[in-house]
Amino acid sequence: MSQIGATVLGYPRIGPRRELKRAVEAYWADQISADELTTTAAELRASTWQELARRGLDSVPGNTFSYYDHVLDTATLFGAVPERFQDTGLSELDRYFAMARGRPDLAPLELTKWFDTNYHYLVPELAPDTRFTLAGRKPVDEFEEAMRLGVRTRPVLLGPLTFLLLAKPAPGSPDGFTPLKLADSLAECYIELLEQLHEAGADWVQLDEPAFAADRSAAELCALRDVYARVTAATNRPKLLVAGYFGDPGPALPILAESGAEAVSIDLVSAPELAFELSEMPGLRTKTVVAGVVDGRNVWRTDVDQALSRCAAMAGSVGELAVSTSCSLLHVPYDVDAETGLDQDVRARLAFARQKVDEVVELNRALQSGASANHKHQTTSARRASEPIDEQKRRRAPYSEREHAQRARLGLPSLATTTIGSFPQTPDVRRARADLRAGRLSESEYRRRMRAEIGRVIRLQERLGLDVLVHGEPERNDMVQYFAEHLDGFATTEHGWVQSYGSRCVRPPILHGDVSRQAPITVEWSSYAQSLTGKPVKGMLTGPVTILAWSFVRVDQPLAQTADQVALALRDEVADLEQAGIWIVQMDEPALRELLPLRAKDRKEYLSWAVGAFRLATAAAAPGTQIHTHLCYSEFGDVIDAIDGLDADVTTIEAARSHMQVIDDLRAAEFGRGVGPGVYDIHSSRVPSEDEIAKRLIAALHVVPPERLWVNPDCGLKTRAYAEVEPALRNLVRAAARARGGQLA
Ligand SMILES: CN1c2c(nc(N)[nH]c2=O)NC[C@@H]1CNc1ccc(C(=O)N[C@@H](CCC(=O)N[C@@H](CCC(=O)N[C@@H](CCC(=O)O)C(=O)O)C(=O)O)C(=O)O)cc1
Ligand SMILES: N[C@@H](CCS)C(=O)O
Ligand SMILES: [Zn+2]
């Protein structure tokens, strides 16, 4: 049987030119048939396997393809389809997409972020009566498909424990039910699947268990031991590689070391100290340890000497040593070579997925030959920013004084209505930007079109009767990339797409050096919008933590220091907006929760610098300038104190999807400033009724006094269409008016 040798834990699947995104979206729009979609998918899989084999991997991961999300794939594979999606009369493929995206009459599964990355998965819903069955053949079919092309893959499956730990109890489940209670029945299905893969000729299967990089209870660790005892005891099965990543698996590692699995992989990028601790785990002496020395989540070339010395440290403690990436390469773009516009110095320091495959192969070769490679790649610049000054993180007046000054200046009503910033990015707007990039449109014509769009957005908001207007962000391709394109110290890519969720992708900027701002970035657009209306226009900025969270960051200085550099640049932007007569500035921090360390012991330090960076960016604002912040995409209950610590005058926060759960969190924290719990779920095309919004306002008014309650959607409207946005906002404004008039009871 083959050894693992050089491998990667997973690979991007959207296609080097986003072929899958385009095909899936065309299928949804009825522009191509299911057959055409499956053909594109098969072509993408084939080219991935062939390329990975050609580049010299000894073990090629399989089953890394997904039409939407690998957690959803796992749920459907094991028959965990919530009742509302059964008997719909839909084809298997359409039912799968309905679970992901919903239908007018069917709520989708909840979407949430994958550990501390910018990828989002669909949350399986499990109930006490969920009966797992092996309902599909995807991993087996794809294994056989690859075999026909001459590649024996190593099918990658989401591990049973991580699957259960990522799931949530289905609505209506009794108190005390946890998905983990279904472990026995799920283990049986894994055994059946492993038998099928064995029969098909798979010699290795990878089971991903990243959930153990977070704090886990004794019961969860026990379940890990029991399930793996059961699964590994199966007789007709391939060898098992259990992959832990995104951090130190802590007490899970000795359990896996003593289990019957033939291999474990460890993430030596996030937990390099593990390389020196394996000697304490005798169970590993008979196992293959897959050393995750090539960073699967960042884009810097690997320091070969450092990687080899980590491998060398493990040599005496393990059976076989294999070389790999720290995690799946899902989180990095395909190919540096496609980026012809990048600065040469920056480019020379980068490795995307393809280059990382080459690095793994090269490292494994060096390891086998016992040679120490003499390549040295300095990952990032070593320049240092000046120390942040604590006084710069405090506003000039306490909230009570600021509230007074802002009330006098802005004269807003109770339950003031606003939106979160972006309005629909219409095909015309996106096309104009594509034309600008391609040189088909001049810079001045592009600006003229964006101003025309801003004019339309302002007129619409005036017609609807909103109180605080926005310019609509038409000029932004993305809320982080746009700022990166205007700041020194960042590089941006042309083709560096990474899947964020489903067919949606982002191009994370590359933060490679010291960050600074040469000139105002947003002032021109916000002041143009303000010139068109007598109502206040909110300036719109992305906060330092979110800019870091959604970029590839330098690793040669602490993140806290980089955050303060970004914050100082934004601080200048806030000052310029004030200077231009913008009295309300929103600094979005949707990713504040996203960077929260997986282990509780590391959180205090993170929250301290993250909150500090936000304050550094905003605190210089005059007391009469109203600072808003906006948070979304997460549940914020466990960071509510940090949100309070941001000291923003108004916090708008996603709430509609979580049934206004945030209201209870705010009550518990005695949150004493302006708050806008989102009353309209912008993730769905459904138009919320006036009554429904009014009910949400009633719930909020139990906790927040009317003069501090803001009425707004959950998040920006960029992914929606005007046909939905206009009636939804009309209902929102009407519901607020009813509430102001006390007509809610
Ligand atoms: C809020 N979220 C974000 C995250 N990370 C970010 N960096 N940004 C975010 O907004 N993480 C958490 C969440 C994730 N959510 C989303 C939501 C929506 C998207 C999304 O819609 N992505 C778009 C791409 C956006 C973009 O960069 N647009 C560019 C390029 C557009 C493009 O593809 N152009 C075409 C030509 C178009 C034409 O001719 O009509 C082309 O180049 O081929 C732009 O507007 O200029 C997506 O389509 O996937 C992502 C994450
Ligand atoms: N201002 C941004 C925030 C998104 S989280 C928007 O409205 O799209
Ligand atoms: Zn948002």
Side-chain angles (χ1 to χ4, degrees), residues 218-485:
E220 291 163 345
L221 291 161
C222 255
L224 177 74
R225 197 190 48 230
D226 294 350
V227 167
Y228 275 88
R230 216 170 160 140
V231 168
T232 56
T235 40
N236 292 319
R237 64 163 179 86
K239 290 187 182 181
L240 295 179
L241 158 61
V242 183
Y245 47 85
F246 297 151
D248 184 344
L253 189 53
I255 293 174
L256 292 174
E258 295 307 320
S259 78
E262 285 75 12
V264 290
S265 82
I266 48 177
D267 177 345
L268 290 170
V269 174
S270 64
E273 66 286 353
L274 279 177
F276 305 92
E277 292 168 8
L278 299 190
S279 56
E280 289 154 31
M281 282 168 248
L284 294 179
R285 284 186 206 131
T286 52
K287 290 199 193 320
T288 298
V289 169
V290 179
V293 285
V294 169
D295 196 342
R297 300 178 56 168
N298 210 335
V299 290
W300 309 111
R301 296 189 69 168
T302 305
D303 180 332
V304 172
D305 286 344
Q306 187 186 61
L308 287 175
S309 69
R310 283 178 187 163
C311 292
M314 295 187 289
S317 315
V318 305
E320 303 246 350
L321 201 58
V323 180
S324 182
T325 49
S326 59
C327 60
S328 166
L329 292 170
L330 181 68
H331 311 287
V332 295
Y334 273 85
D335 190 4
V336 174
D337 291 343
E339 300 302 329
T340 48
L342 275 180
D343 173 272
Q344 283 308 311
D345 287 347
V346 175
R347 209 175 127 159
R349 286 152 50 196
L350 297 176
F352 292 175
R354 278 187 185 151
Q355 289 72 35
K356 284 173 190 283
V357 170
D358 294 343
E359 287 187 333
V360 160
V361 170
E362 191 190 343
L363 279 165
N364 191 51
R365 216 170 273 147
L367 204 61
Q368 299 312 321
S369 66
S372 153
N374 53 7
H375 314 68
K376 260 209 172 111
H377 297 296
Q378 186 56 36
T379 51
T380 61
S381 115
R383 285 177 287 157
R384 294 274 181 268
S386 57
E387 284 297 302
I389 304 161
D390 269 0
E391 293 81 83
Q392 291 187 333
K393 297 184 174 169
R394 213 166 302 128
R395 284 196 71 178
R396 278 179 262 162
Y399 176 68
S400 53
E401 278 174 39
R402 296 185 333 240
E403 186 181 28
H404 197 261
Q406 290 161 21
R407 215 172 280 295
R409 195 187 212 191
L410 296 166
L412 292 169
S414 291
L415 287 100
T417 53
T418 191
T419 60
I420 302 302
S422 59
F423 269 69
Q425 284 257 335
T426 61
D428 278 355
V429 165
R430 287 201 196 279
R431 203 167 310 117
R433 199 161 23 255
D435 287 347
L436 172 72
R437 271 206 313 271
R440 293 186 293 265
L441 202 67
S442 69
E443 182 75 32
S444 61
E445 177 57 17
Y446 175 72
R447 286 179 182 285
R448 195 194 63 72
R449 292 200 194 172
M450 293 303 119
R451 278 198 296 273
E453 184 68 15
I454 289 171
R456 279 190 285 276
V457 168
I458 293 287
R459 283 193 297 279
L460 171 63
Q461 294 171 90
E462 289 201 313
R463 243 188 355 262
L464 290 167
L466 287 150
D467 298 309
V468 171
L469 311 195
V470 296
H471 78 286
E473 305 177 28
E475 79 290 3
R476 301 185 190 177
N477 43 16
D478 171 80
M479 60 185 287
V480 165
Q481 188 179 350
Y482 178 75
F483 285 91
E485 282 168 359

Side-chain angles (χ1 to χ4, degrees), residues 14-35:
I14 50 168
R17 288 291 177 275
R18 290 183 295 161
E19 292 86 345
L20 184 62
K21 170 200 174 64
R22 292 182 210 288
V24 162
E25 289 181 355
Y27 176 70
W28 292 339
D30 280 332
Q31 289 160 356
I32 64 167
S33 66
D35 277 354

Side-chain angles (χ1 to χ4, degrees), residues 127-128 169-170 172-178:
S173 298
D175 284 352
F177 168 73
T178 63

Side-chain angles (χ1 to χ4, degrees), residues 545-562:
V545 180
T546 299
I547 289 183
L548 291 198
W550 295 349
S551 298
F552 294 117
V553 289
R554 57 192 288 185
V555 289
D556 65 334
Q557 69 180 16
L559 213 46
Q561 197 173 334
T562 311

Side-chain angles (χ1 to χ4, degrees), residues 420 590 630-633 714-716:
I420 302 302
H630 161 70
L631 306 137
C632 57
Y633 295 107
D714 256 350
C715 185

Side-chain angles (χ1 to χ4, degrees), residues 166-231:
L166 292 180
K168 67 170 197 187
S173 298
D175 284 352
F177 168 73
T178 63
L180 210 57
K181 296 197 168 153
L182 304 171
D184 284 350
S185 121
L186 185 61
E188 289 309 310
C189 291
Y190 271 81
I191 290 170
E192 196 183 337
L193 176 60
L194 290 173
E195 278 169 2
Q196 288 188 9
L197 287 166
H198 181 65
E199 210 154 289
D203 48 15
W204 281 97
V205 163
Q206 174 180 324
L207 294 170
D208 284 357
E209 294 288 9
F212 291 89
D215 296 331
R216 290 295 163 204
S217 66
E220 291 163 345
L221 291 161
C222 255
L224 177 74
R225 197 190 48 230
D226 294 350
V227 167
Y228 275 88
R230 216 170 160 140
V231 168

